[in-house]
Amino acid sequence: QVQLVESGGGLVQPGGSLRLSCVGSGFTFSSYAMRWYRQAPGKERELVATITTDGSSTNYADSMKGRFTISRDNAKNTLYLQMNSLKPEDTAVYYCCVLRVGRNYWGQGTQVTVSS
């Protein structure tokens, strides 16, 4: 079955950086576009970034443009999110997601906390 496992979250000071990873299994990873979402306490889940199957095209929410970079390594079935210049408002649980057969599949999420 489809499985997504995120890692790389943690506590970081404002202005710092983190790189998140998401390993996919149970499906042909290279055949699907992938997405990162995040959800802060009391807030709706929001789309962070999207990447095409071969990584040739990416899209970002306005608040993340210029700071976050989504990438993938299909040989390793892994999706990445490089986060730079982190702000306290970036604090959230970050999830990777794949839409397959008309259904969203989610990982368990990884916590990112930006605080002094």
Side-chain angles (χ1 to χ4, degrees):
Q1 73 281 10
V2 172
Q3 186 173 356
L4 299 168
V5 180
E6 302 97 334
S7 63
L11 175 64
V12 64
Q13 293 187 346
S17 298
L18 285 173
R19 189 172 82 154
L20 308 183
S21 299
C22 171
V23 178
S25 61
F27 66 103
T28 304
F29 187 85
S30 61
S31 295
Y32 295 90
M34 299 292 294
R35 293 177 171 183
W36 284 102
Y37 285 80
R38 70 184 186 186
Q39 188 166 24
K43 303 290 181 61
E44 294 184 348
R45 187 169 297 188
E46 66 173 335
L47 178 64
V48 173
T50 301
I51 189 167
T52 53
T53 55
D54 63 353
S56 62
S57 182
T58 58
N59 290 97
Y60 302 90
D62 287 342
S63 63
M64 272 69 80
K65 289 180 180 177
R67 299 190 300 122
F68 290 10
T69 303
I70 187 172
S71 62
R72 66 194 297 163
D73 185 343
N74 287 339
K76 297 181 178 180
N77 288 353
T78 303
L79 176 73
Y80 301 98
L81 183 68
Q82 178 68 46
M83 304 186 294
N84 299 324
S85 301
L86 284 163
K87 306 173 181 179
E89 51 263 45
D90 295 319
T91 296
V93 178
Y94 285 72
Y95 301 88
C96 63
C97 176
V98 60
L99 175 61
R100 180 178 177 272
V101 197
R103 172 185 171 183
N104 284 323
Y105 291 84
W106 305 90
Q108 83 288 350
T110 185
Q111 176 71 49
V112 172
T113 303
V114 185
S115 179
S116 298

